[in-house]
């Protein structure tokens, strides 16, 4: 019969239409913004800088090695190294960035800066509701905008944060053990040679 | 036009960029300018059916196409030059954006070329993951094509939305694995960037097991539809001789009956471990190109079922590969894969420095577009849209 194919197609459409009221797998839309789907853990949008503890300047993990700046494909990171140093999580004195800007209008969220960072200082944020009416200023994020606490990192990427913290904790334990081993001989110094 | 020369003035409108939208003028058609009832239309870059910013200057006699000139370059983004000034790793996120629907296969083709250049080996688990992601990419690309082709035909959105409903599940898998739905940036030289997260394998298996049922519904919706058949059968016939001579690859070539699939010819990756067939078309018309892609989806499901079952544990990346300071030895390499649209190739020349000396992309969409005029001559103008839809172009790849 001519038209049979069309009728068969319409039966499919009807099945989907009626099914969207009865079965969950056929109703696929989510009424955003009243309801938001949870994001995957691996999702990424723009980068942010992690700091440990309460003080964002003292706890900032970034040591201004500028590796992320060099490896960034569209070159959206701008770093100026500071001359003063500050201690990192194991007490070693490290450089810090005086200026750390990311131009989010250029950033393509490729995550290469996160991959190459040796200090777990820059990680990917998942914030996506970033619309702003200010075309240039609000899209250039500076060090203060980018710095977010480690607790936030735990909230958005729990598995990664657990792995990073266990590694940094292991570093700290190793450093403390080394410091203790180096401190022991100093308790009994060798007697000075008599003149 | 030189003053005093004998050359005649070409009538304004014979294929110049600053012409108005249509031109109707008398004159003979010996010099190519429009004759009596001929109409020159610029199906311009802003058009809902041209699959991106693509222009076609179509010369029509009544409703029939007499001449067609494709004009592209509206999405040229200097990809090759950027890749030649940036390092090898930095070019990887840019390859995502070539054929923006199929970022994982673009990544794989580039990684393949660099691995050939630098002599890196890929561990077995990474090869399996590459095939799984590539076949998922092929699934979602063919879903896009089926949806967009039907959209162009006027089935305003229904098959498209059904196809996209399934595509969303595949994009969910990509997001949980790579972090992004479309711009995945997942392949690295010597393997993959990161391992599968917990629960990914089960989610992928569920998707792959439910997909044939969805394909049954989709085919029931469309395959025997009289409107689809009468609009696409016999339209835009591509002969196998012309296809081979023009360098066409991919489903468009196979729909014309030529049995050439790089997964069987090159056997790159570990494709020779999997059993799958190659669907071939008999007529080379638009219907065959659509049906070949639907059948290829079924074959991809077969590959996915086998690969997901046999995925071995192991490392994800070659331990010899370096992320930073990567300097392959001087030489050249051409790495090609069977992308969802055709043969996607990367030609790299290295001179020992951290960035390539020459980086060239062989875009399948561009090469497939070269026969557009031959396909469209003598067809109705409404069929031009459908034929263009069946070629399956993505302007990100055509223009780079």
């Amino acid at each position: 019969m001519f038209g049979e194919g069309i009728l068969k197609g319409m039966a499919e459409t009807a099945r989907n239409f009626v099914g969207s009221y009865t079965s969950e797998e056929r109703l696929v839309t989510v009424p955003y913004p009243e309801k938001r789907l949870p994001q995957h853990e691996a999702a990424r949008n723009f980068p942010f800088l992690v700091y440990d503890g309460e003080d964002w300047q003292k706890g900032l993990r970034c040591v201004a090695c500028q590796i992320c700046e060099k490896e960034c494909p569209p070159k959206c990171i701008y770093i100026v190294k500071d001359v003063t140093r500050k201690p990192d999580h194991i007490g070693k004195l490290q450089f810090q960035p005086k200026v750390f800007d990311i131009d989010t209008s250029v950033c393509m969220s490729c995550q290469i800066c996160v991959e190459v960072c040796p200090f777990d200082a820059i990680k990917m944020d998942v914030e996506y509701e970033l619309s702003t009416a200010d075309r240039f200023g609000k899209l250039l994020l500076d060090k203060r905008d980018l710095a977010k606490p480690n607790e936030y990192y735990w909230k958005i990427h729990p598995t990664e944060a657990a792995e990073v913290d266990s590694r940094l904790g292991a570093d700290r334990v190793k450093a403390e053990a080394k410091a203790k081993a180096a401190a022991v001989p100093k308790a009994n110094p060798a007697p000075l040679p008599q003149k | 036009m030189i003053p005093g020369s004998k050359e005649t003035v070409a009538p304004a409108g014979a294929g110049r960029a600053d012409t108005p939208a249509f031109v109707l003028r008398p004159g003979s058609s010996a010099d190519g300018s429009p004759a009596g009832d001929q109409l020159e239309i610029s199906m311009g870059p802003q058009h809902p059916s041209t699959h991106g910013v693509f222009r076609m200057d179509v010369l029509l006699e009544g409703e029939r196409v007499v001449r067609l000139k494709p004009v592209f370059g509206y999405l040229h983004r200097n990809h090759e030059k950027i890749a030649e000034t940036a390092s090898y790793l930095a070019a990887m996120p840019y390859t995502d954006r070539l054929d923006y629907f199929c970022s994982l296969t673009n990544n794989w083709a580039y990684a393949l070329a660099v691995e050939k250049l630098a002599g890196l080996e890929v561990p077995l688990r990474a090869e399996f993951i590459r095939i799984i992601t590539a076949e998922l990419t092929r699934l979602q690309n063919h879903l896009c094509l089926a949806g967009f082709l039907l959209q162009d035909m006027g089935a305003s959105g229904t098959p498209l939305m059904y196809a996209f409903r399934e595509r969303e599940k595949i994009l969910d898998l990509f997001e949980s694995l790579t972090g992004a739905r479309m711009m995945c940036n997942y392949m690295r030289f010597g393997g993959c960037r990161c391992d599968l997260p917990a629960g990914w394998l089960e989610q992928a298996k569920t998707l792959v097991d439910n997909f044939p049922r969805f394909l049954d519904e989709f085919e029931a919706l469309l395959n025997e539809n009289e409107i689809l058949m009468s609009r696409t059968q016999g339209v835009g016939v591509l002969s196998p001789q012309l296809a081979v001579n023009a360098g066409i690859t991919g489903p468009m070539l196979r729909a014309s009956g030529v049995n050439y699939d790089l997964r069987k010819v090159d056997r790159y990756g570990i494709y020779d471990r999997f059993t799958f067939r190659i669907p071939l078309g008999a007529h080379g018309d638009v219907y065959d190109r659509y049906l070949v892609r639907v059948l290829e989806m079924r074959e991809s499901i077969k590959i996915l079922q086998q690969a997901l079952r046999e995925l071995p544990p192991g490392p994800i990346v070659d331990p010899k590969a370096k992320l930073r300071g990567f300097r392959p030895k001087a030489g050249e390499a051409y790495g090609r894969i069977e992308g969802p649209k055709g043969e996607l190739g990367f030609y790299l020349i290295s001179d020992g420095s951290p960035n390539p000396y020459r980086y060239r992309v062989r875009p399948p969409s561009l090469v497939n577009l070269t026969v557009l005029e031959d396909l469209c001559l003598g067809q109705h103008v409404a069929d031009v849209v459908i034929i263009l839809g069946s070629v399956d172009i993505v302007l990100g790849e055509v223009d780079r």
Side-chain angles (χ1 to χ4, degrees):
Chain A
M1 178 187 80
F2 185 72
E4 193 175 330
I6 299 185
L7 288 178
K8 221 162 110 172
M10 286 187 171
E12 272 315 309
T13 322
R15 186 176 312 146
N16 271 296
F17 177 62
V18 172
S20 71
Y21 288 97
T22 56
S23 88
E24 210 182 276
E25 65 163 29
R26 297 225 185 255
L27 182 67
V28 286
T29 53
V30 167
Y32 179 86
E34 284 84 18
K35 178 164 172 249
R36 286 175 174 80
L37 284 175
Q39 285 189 298
H40 296 277
E41 198 203 316
R44 59 178 198 253
N45 205 8
F46 290 123
F48 73 98
L49 293 171
V50 188
Y51 68 85
D52 296 308
E54 301 293 327
D55 186 344
W56 71 273
Q57 279 169 314
K58 277 224 289 275
L60 201 66
R61 290 185 194 164
C62 175
V63 302
C65 64
Q66 295 177 296
I67 291 179
C68 58
E69 191 182 24
K70 283 201 259 299
E71 297 290 329
C72 174
K75 300 279 184 292
C76 69
I77 302 183
Y78 175 67
I79 299 179
V80 172
K81 233 172 173 136
D82 201 351
V83 284
T84 57
R85 303 218 230 172
K86 70 164 174 58
D88 67 358
H89 67 286
I90 52 177
K92 191 161 134 192
L93 275 182
Q94 300 274 15
F95 284 113
Q96 53 178 335
K98 188 155 77 169
V99 171
F100 194 113
D101 288 344
I102 293 187
D103 190 350
T104 52
S105 65
V106 174
C107 172
M108 54 175 173
S109 311
C110 66
Q111 204 185 28
I112 286 183
C113 55
V114 172
E115 273 178 73
V116 296
C117 177
F119 298 93
D120 298 300
I122 189 168
K123 296 291 175 192
M124 290 315 272
D125 204 351
V126 297
E127 193 62 47
Y128 57 89
E129 292 170 348
L130 294 167
S131 305
T132 163
D134 184 353
R135 192 174 176 193
F136 299 107
K138 274 283 194 315
L139 292 176
L140 180 67
L141 303 179
D142 64 3
K143 203 168 48 154
R144 182 66 193 96
D145 298 324
L146 290 169
K148 296 205 175 148
N150 197 16
E151 289 78 37
Y152 178 71
Y153 182 39
W154 269 89
K155 202 163 59 141
I156 56 176
H157 298 300
T159 324
E160 278 177 42
E163 192 262 326
V164 166
D165 272 4
S166 77
R167 212 164 1 100
L168 294 180
D171 285 348
R172 206 171 294 132
V173 162
K174 225 189 318 187
E176 280 173 13
K178 207 161 78 163
K180 213 178 294 183
V184 165
K186 290 210 188 82
N188 296 324
L192 290 167
Q194 298 293 329
K195 271 234 186 51
Chain B
M1 194 188 71
I2 306 164
S5 73
K6 292 234 179 37
E7 61 183 40
T8 53
V9 178
R16 282 217 319 229
D18 53 350
T19 57
F22 63 88
V23 155
L24 191 64
R25 60 175 66 236
S28 78
S29 48
D31 59 351
S33 66
D37 54 356
Q38 289 188 340
L39 190 68
E40 182 165 356
I41 291 185
S42 160
M43 292 181 69
Q46 282 173 313
H47 193 287
S49 298
T50 54
H51 293 264
V53 277
F54 179 64
R55 182 157 76 97
M56 291 184 282
D57 278 338
V58 185
L59 185 63
L60 296 171
E61 177 131 13
E63 278 268 329
R64 301 267 170 190
V65 173
V66 167
R67 191 182 71 215
L68 185 147
K69 188 166 83 109
V71 180
F72 42 85
Y74 292 95
L75 195 51
H76 180 69
R77 294 164 293 178
N78 265 321
H79 170 69
E80 294 184 359
K81 180 71 178 177
I82 289 177
E84 284 168 18
T85 50
S87 65
Y88 283 91
L89 179 63
M92 186 62 94
Y94 288 105
T95 60
D96 283 338
R97 289 148 169 87
L98 276 177
D99 171 0
Y100 34 79
F101 288 119
C102 313
S103 66
L104 285 160
T105 45
N106 297 351
N107 284 351
W108 188 4
Y110 179 53
L112 203 66
V114 174
E115 282 152 16
K116 270 194 199 170
L117 191 60
L120 293 168
E121 278 178 21
V122 183
L124 194 59
R125 184 176 170 89
E127 291 277 24
F128 267 89
I129 294 183
R130 280 180 171 186
I131 290 196
I132 293 172
T133 47
E135 292 307 315
L136 283 172
T137 311
R138 195 179 313 272
L139 278 181
Q140 57 97 21
N141 172 270
H142 290 335
L143 281 174
C144 279
L145 172 98
F148 288 134
L149 183 63
L150 268 295
Q151 171 85 1
D152 288 346
M153 273 190 240
S156 47
T158 304
L160 178 65
M161 286 300 127
Y162 289 173
F164 269 55
R165 186 184 63 203
E166 293 309 303
R167 185 171 176 255
E168 284 295 313
K169 300 181 186 158
I170 301 180
L171 294 183
D172 266 349
L173 280 178
F174 288 166
E175 190 174 15
S176 52
L177 174 64
T178 70
R181 286 152 52 95
M182 271 169 85
M183 304 297 142
C184 298
N185 188 20
Y186 180 63
M187 306 295 170
R188 293 285 175 263
F189 312 129
C192 304
R193 180 172 71 81
C194 59
D195 209 337
L196 307 178
W200 196 89
L201 213 53
E202 287 70 36
Q203 209 184 341
K205 281 188 183 144
T206 323
L207 180 129
V208 167
D209 291 336
N210 289 340
F211 212 86
R213 194 166 54 95
F214 160 73
L215 272 182
D216 290 338
E217 286 181 14
F218 199 66
E219 289 195 64
L221 180 70
L222 292 175
N223 275 9
E224 291 166 34
N225 191 308
E226 280 82 4
I227 304 177
L228 175 73
M229 291 200 291
S230 61
R231 277 207 78 178
T232 57
Q233 286 177 344
V235 167
V237 175
L238 177 66
S239 69
Q241 292 81 18
L242 177 60
V244 169
N245 285 339
I248 310 285
T249 51
M252 206 169 150
L253 178 68
R254 294 194 282 278
S256 299
V258 181
N259 186 359
Y260 187 75
D261 186 324
L262 287 178
R263 294 175 288 173
K264 296 279 195 194
V265 167
D266 270 0
R267 290 195 293 267
Y268 60 94
I270 43 170
Y271 269 112
D272 43 2
R273 293 191 188 207
F274 303 108
T275 42
F276 59 101
R277 296 176 300 174
I278 304 294
L280 292 177
H283 307 280
D285 54 12
V286 172
Y287 189 71
D288 274 356
R289 291 196 272 275
Y290 155 76
L291 202 56
V292 155
R293 289 184 169 102
V294 171
L295 293 171
E296 273 192 9
M297 280 202 262
R298 291 204 187 264
E299 300 301 319
S300 287
I301 302 272
K302 270 199 228 160
I303 301 178
L304 276 170
Q305 279 167 339
Q306 293 166 51
L308 287 170
R309 229 183 9 238
E310 299 167 18
L311 180 64
I316 276 293
V317 76
D318 184 357
K320 277 194 322 236
K322 282 198 301 182
L323 205 59
R324 301 186 54 219
F326 178 69
R327 286 169 177 258
K329 284 196 293 294
E332 60 180 29
Y334 180 64
R336 60 182 191 164
I337 60 156
E338 178 73 25
K341 299 190 161 59
E343 171 188 329
L344 174 63
F346 282 80
Y347 176 60
L348 289 168
I349 302 182
S350 155
D351 57 353
S353 62
N355 44 315
Y357 175 76
R358 174 72 178 115
Y359 170 107
R360 154 95 182 131
V361 180
R362 181 213 183 267
S365 304
L366 176 60
V367 179
N368 291 357
L369 261 189
T370 52
V371 291
L372 190 65
E373 183 168 11
D374 300 279
L375 293 182
C376 294
L377 284 179
Q379 309 280 345
H380 293 287
V381 69
D383 295 334
V384 168
V385 170
I386 295 180
I387 295 170
L388 181 65
S390 74
V391 173
D392 195 8
I393 62 169
V394 166
L395 266 298
E397 199 172 53
V398 170
D399 294 338
R400 284 154 287 139

